[in-house]
Amino acid sequence: MRTELLKINNLSEQADDIARAADIIKKGGLVVIPTETVYGLGGDGTNRDSARKIYEAKGRPSDNPLIIHISSPEQAEKFAHTNKTYYKLAEACMPGPLTVVLPKKDTVPSEVTGGLDTVAIRCPSHPTARAIISASGVPIAAPSANTSGKPSPTRAEHVAADLDGKVDMIIDGGECEIGLESTIVMVNSDESLTLLRPGGITYDALCCVCETVNISSSIEGVLSENERPLSPGMKYKHYAPSAPLVLLCGDENKVLEFLRSEQENKRSVVLCYDEEMPYLQSNMILPIGKKQDIASHARNLFSALRDTDKLSPDIIYAHMPEKDGLGMALYNRMIRAAAHTVKEIK
Ligand code: TXA
Ligand code: MG
C-alpha cells in the first residue's frame, strides 16, 4: 500500500485536504491523525472491517479495545449509555486529554471494543483531529499510531517509521503538545470513577469533578498472575526501547556522579535534565527538559525513548519522576518502559 504523507500548514486553508482524509475514513481506509496527546491510527469506529485493519496495521492483539474519538461530548449519546458524571467530566475536561469508559450501545461493533460491553470515548482538542472527525461524520476509532509495544508517536516521523506502507494516509500536524496518552477513567454504576490510566488530566483535576476517584491497581503495572486488568492494554509490554532502561533515584549529586562513572565504563545513554548536559558525555545524552519542567519531560519522553535505539547503547538511565500531578502519568509510562527496574544510588 502506498502511504500518502499530508502536512497541515494552515488548517483553515486546507479544507480540501481534510475532506480527502475524511473520505478515506468513510470508505473504510486508515488515516493517522495528530492529537494533543499522541498520534492516533484512525478508522471508522462504526465499521468492523476498519477495526480489523487497525489491529492488523498496528500488530495489536484484538482483545485490546480501541478508543473512539468524537468531536462534541453529546455525540457520546449515540454510542454509549451516558450519565450525570459523564457530563460533569465533559464540562470540566472536554475537549481535551480525557477518555471516559461507559457501557456501550450496539452502534459500536464488538471488534472495536475487543468484545467488552463498555466503550472508551474521547473528545480531542486538536483542531486537525476535530476537523477530520466532523468532516467524516463518524466517530474515529484510534489507538496510538505506533507498532504494538513501541513508544507512542509524538511526531509524524515516528509514525512513518512504524506504519509507512500500512495505512492510506499520515497527517503531519507537528509535535504533539502533551506527549503522553490521555487519562482514562471508568464511570462506575454508583457514578464514582476509577482511574485506569493517568495522563494529561491529573488525579487532582478528577477529584475536583467527582467525590470518589479510585485508582486501579493496574496503574503500577503489577498484576498478580490471573488478575484481569480493567483496562486490557495495561497487561501488555509497552514503550520498551531495545536496551534495558533503569530508573535512578537518590541524592541529585550522587546520581550525577554515578552517571558520569557509568558513561566511562559502559555504552550508556542518559535521559538527562538540561542542567546536567555540561557534566555528561554529549554524544550519549538525550535531554528531556529542565529539571522542574515536568510538562517538557512528558512531551519529550517517547521521542527520547525512540532515539535511544539509534545510539545502540548497552543500557539506558533516566531519573525516577515524582509521582504527583502530571508526574503520575510520566511515572506510569517510565516504570513500564523500565520493566520496574529501579536503582537507588546511595
Ligand atoms: O491519547 C490517547 O488516548 C491516544 C490518542 C490517539 O487518542 N490513544 C490511545 O489509544 O492511547 P491506545 O489504544 O493506544 O490506548 C487505549 C487504552 C488501551 O490500554 C485499552 O486497553 C484501553 O484504552 N481501553 C479501550 N477501551 C477500553 C474499555 N472499554 N475499557 C477499558 N479500557 C479500555
Ligand atoms: Mg497505545
Side-chain angles (χ1 to χ4, degrees):
M1 179 192 290
R2 193 188 146 264
T3 299
E4 179 183 348
L5 186 67
L6 173 70
K7 177 119 178 87
I8 300 293
N9 296 309
N10 187 339
L11 185 60
S12 57
E13 289 172 4
Q14 289 180 268
D16 289 352
D17 289 334
I18 296 296
R20 227 154 34 81
D23 209 43
I24 295 174
I25 301 266
K26 279 190 273 189
K27 289 188 175 139
L30 302 183
V31 177
V32 173
I33 55 174
T35 86
E36 70 279 19
T37 57
V38 299
Y39 277 80
L41 167 48
D44 178 352
T46 61
N47 181 335
R48 298 172 195 282
D49 291 333
S50 299
R52 286 194 200 108
K53 284 190 201 166
I54 290 173
Y55 287 114
E56 193 185 324
K58 202 175 147 69
R60 175 172 187 156
S62 59
D63 69 343
N64 190 1
L66 311 174
I67 295 174
I68 66 168
H69 297 70
I70 53 179
S71 57
S72 76
E74 301 73 39
Q75 285 168 11
E77 292 299 336
K78 211 167 159 190
F79 311 106
H81 298 280
T82 62
N83 53 24
K84 252 195 283 166
T85 306
Y86 169 76
Y87 280 104
K88 278 205 270 175
L89 287 167
E91 169 132 13
C93 312
M94 291 184 193
L98 179 71
T99 297
V100 183
V101 175
L102 293 164
K104 90 183 232 335
K105 289 189 175 166
D106 290 342
T107 42
V108 185
S110 60
E111 281 80 356
V112 169
T113 61
L116 296 179
D117 53 11
T118 53
V119 60
I121 293 190
R122 163 158 135 75
C123 179
S125 62
H126 196 292
T128 302
R130 300 173 61 73
I132 294 172
I133 301 165
S134 297
S136 64
V138 291
I140 295 191
S144 50
N146 52 288
T147 299
S148 200
K150 285 230 210 161
S152 297
T154 56
R155 294 187 197 153
E157 72 208 52
H158 304 155
V159 177
D162 284 10
L163 296 178
D164 190 28
K166 296 181 176 168
V167 294
D168 298 285
M169 183 185 267
I170 296 173
I171 300 186
D172 182 352
E175 191 182 28
C176 299
E177 193 187 326
I178 298 174
L180 300 177
E181 309 88 340
S182 61
T183 301
I184 305 181
V185 289
M186 180 174 265
V187 181
N188 303 308
S189 51
D190 62 358
E191 307 231 345
S192 66
L193 298 180
T194 303
L195 176 60
L196 303 181
R197 181 176 74 183
I201 301 291
T202 62
Y203 174 75
D204 289 345
L206 294 171
C207 292
C208 291
V209 180
C210 192
E211 226 169 83
T212 314
V213 184
N214 309 302
I215 300 183
S216 164
S217 60
S218 60
I219 279 183
E220 282 281 335
V222 196
L223 291 170
S224 53
E225 207 169 298
N226 295 316
E227 200 176 342
R228 195 180 136 84
L230 285 171
S231 185
M234 288 301 199
K235 72 181 177 216
Y236 292 107
K237 187 177 163 202
H238 243 92
Y239 317 121
S242 303
L245 168 67
V246 177
L247 302 185
L248 303 176
C249 54
D251 172 79
E252 223 175 283
N253 291 324
K254 290 199 173 130
V255 168
L256 192 54
E257 217 174 279
F258 170 82
L259 289 171
R260 285 168 62 118
S261 74
E262 284 290 286
Q263 283 201 322
E264 270 167 30
N265 303 322
K266 280 188 198 143
R267 198 170 163 75
S268 60
V269 167
V270 184
L271 270 53
C272 70
Y273 299 136
D274 292 356
E275 294 88 334
E276 296 171 323
M277 290 167 67
Y279 306 102
L280 295 166
Q281 272 176 34
S282 58
N283 58 337
M284 294 299 273
I285 54 170
L286 293 164
I288 58 161
K290 290 212 167 73
K291 183 167 187 245
Q292 299 302 334
D293 188 357
I294 313 276
S296 142
H297 307 167
R299 193 164 46 245
N300 291 321
L301 175 70
F302 288 150
S303 186
L305 286 177
R306 280 180 179 261
D307 286 345
T308 58
D309 285 349
K310 295 179 197 152
L311 296 168
S312 320
D314 297 321
I315 192 158
I316 306 158
Y317 291 111
H319 296 282
M320 174 82 139
E322 302 286 343
K323 292 185 202 166
D324 55 340
L326 183 60
M328 189 195 258
L330 196 60
Y331 170 79
N332 170 265
R333 307 313 191 270
M334 292 183 79
I335 199 79
R336 297 172 76 202
H340 294 269
T341 316
V342 177
K343 187 176 171 70
E344 191 178 350
I345 309 296
K346 292 189 185 137

